[in-house]
Amino acid sequence: MTRRVVICCGSGGVGKTTTAAALALAATRAGRRAVVVTIDPARRLADALGLAGLTNSPSIIDGNWPGELYALMLDTESTFNGLVAKYAGSQEQADKILANRFYRNISGALSGTQEYMATEKLFELYEETDFDLIVVDTPPTRNALDFLEAPNRLARFLDHRLYRLLTAPTRGIVKAVNVAAQGFLRSVGKVVGGEVIADAIAFFVAFEGMDEGFKDRAKRVDRLLGSDETAFVLVASPRADTVEEASFFAGKLGEHHITVEALVVNRMHPDPGAGNPLADRKRAETFAGTTLGNLYTALADLRTVAQGEAEHLADLSERIAPAPVQRVPLLPFEVCDLDTLTRFGDVLLGSR
Amino acid sequence: MEPAQFLTAPRVTIVAGKGGVGKTTTAVALGMAASSVGLRALLVEVEGKSAIGSLFGVGVVGYEEVELIPPGRGEGGLRARALTPDDALVEFLQDHGLKRVSNRLVSSGALDMVVTATPGIKDVLILGKVKQLERAGTADVIILDAPAAGHAITFLRSAQGLLDAVKVGLIESQAREVCELLADPTRCQVVLVTLPEETPVNELTETAFSLEDQVGVSLGPVVVNGAYPLLDGLDTDPEQAAREVGANLKRGEAESLALAANFRLERSALQQVQISRLRQELPLPQLHLPFVFTSQLTREDLASLADILIDEIGALK
């Protein structure tokens, strides 16, 4: 782990948050100053770290280690507000935007805003702090690509020609275009109410002049995601569907010329050694009703799953080679505090 | 309880739970269970691509309805469709005589803006479509596979949120009708799914209370998915178990048997602790679906899960 930024991605429920926290903790134990950014609204990391509520800025986690461990929980809205304040030409402009309802919808609910703000937070930490390592947990999304494309999403949104049309009156451009737009807007108003449209227009008027700053920043964030300082760690569980998702994401990263640093596969069933589950099943039937029969059933069950998991992982491992695959077995404990997180980290990094 | 009665008492069953707990599996199994007791079931997906179609040999399930199980021979039939907000909006506008607006929204790309301008509109459009399907009576049972995790609360709160922000317009009346559907226990229930593990159980309990407080939706039984079926005698030494029945073990087999047995015992014990904890913390009846020993479910696996659900529902008081 010599990179400065590590991004953990994968589908929901595969142990992404735990993996991210364990990586940050491991760096801390190796003497580094690390911060982990978590996004999951379920507050799983907060649970894992024994914190009631993490805030939007890094707070230190107390522990007996040579480095320093910080954690924060992304607050999408206040991160966005901070960004507006940063790029507004004046306090007045910032206030106008922050009070606008349309803006509040964008900052709270626009699909992809969470992903965008996660990258923004990452960039802010990268630019403004001196952490040795920033580990980012990504939102549990079905489409992991949202994260990668997040920086450019808002830039595109603000660049749309329709908004140019909407904001045209203030710029005094051709009136005729505007009349046509008005009729259209009236119809849309019938559906969602005229106020909503008025809010939208007011937002774009207030936002004028800030889009360049936003777009420029988006480009810099994008560059950081693709730079050598950033490592992507894929997290998956060994079930067919999440492996497929991880495969898909690995392919997309490739298209963006980003290599996968490592694949972490959590919750692997233990391998009971070479053998044929069908033969075990047959023995279970032969001895049905006896203790030996039950023992064979347990073995056949386990072998079926373990062999299936190994098969699913074979293709993906090949695809991301030479990146290492870290297999983490189903553990006999839940990661719910620093102690169990440390033990999880030992297993995660020990299997290298 | 009679399975048919359970599944139709409210016509709409919303299946929710965090990612990876078997939410979609449960939704499909419920749909198959409904069909197998002679009901016409409709499965509604909301998160875009769904691989479920391939299990039934129909490819990707899209906005238009596809048949997963044909009606006949005792089956009521199972159909599926994936609702997307964009398609639902276009259809909504067309239904309200605004076809031209809808065409222009799409061609100008303004759809994004309208959707952004109106909080929760995407979710309201999808739930509105579900409400329309419910009203039209095109199915006896509608199973909605809700978005994962915390998104389920946002999803179900969307209509109330929209009403707070939008006071007029066609979408406002749509939101109002969605609220009515969600608040009516004779029309709609939520079935939450969890694994018998610590964090999922915690989150399920949290979600259940939030849903009751913030959405006021009626909660059906909880589905506990993936508990290992219990087997007797797994703590017996394999050599001794073999001697008891006069069998011989191959070389190394005793170790494999012991490893599998210990693993199973350990996991089962952890699971049972969580199941009883859930019972204490959340006073809702539980339906248990066993762990299926495969890393990729087949249609046959789903069919047997559906059978188990029918038995479990039958055992409810």
Side-chain angles (χ1 to χ4, degrees), chain B residues 244-287:
Chain B
E244 277 168 14
V245 292
N248 288 316
L249 297 182
K250 279 180 275 176
R251 200 138 61 99
E253 210 172 20
E255 285 76 18
S256 296
L257 287 166
L259 183 145
N262 288 335
F263 172 77
R264 180 90 161 231
L265 280 174
E266 197 178 63
R267 296 302 303 174
S268 290
L270 288 172
Q271 291 174 341
Q272 294 309 316
V273 169
Q274 296 307 327
I275 290 173
S276 23
R277 193 167 65 88
L278 178 62
R279 197 167 277 133
Q280 278 171 7
E281 290 178 9
L282 195 65
L284 288 174
Q286 297 181 0
L287 302 173

Side-chain angles (χ1 to χ4, degrees), chain A residues 295-314:
Chain A
L295 286 168
Y296 272 113
T297 298
L299 180 57
D301 285 348
L302 179 59
R303 235 203 274 275
T304 309
V305 183
Q307 291 187 358
E309 290 178 353
E311 258 168 55
H312 297 312
L313 285 175

Side-chain angles (χ1 to χ4, degrees), chain A residues 61-74:
Chain A
I61 313 291
D62 291 322
N64 190 19
W65 39 61
E68 282 174 32
L69 178 62
Y70 288 77
L72 71 85
M73 185 149 70
L74 181 77

Side-chain angles (χ1 to χ4, degrees), chain B residues 7-23:
Chain B
L7 288 158
T8 52
R11 183 173 280 167
V12 177
T13 293
I14 299 170
V15 183
K18 78 182 208 110
V21 297
K23 187 172 56 69

Side-chain angles (χ1 to χ4, degrees), chain B residues 147-171:
Chain B
H151 295 308
I153 296 169
T154 320
F155 178 66
L156 295 175
R157 274 213 50 180
S158 60
Q160 192 53 54
L162 192 141
L163 287 180
D164 293 342
V166 176
K167 303 294 177 207
V168 289
L170 292 170
I171 197 71

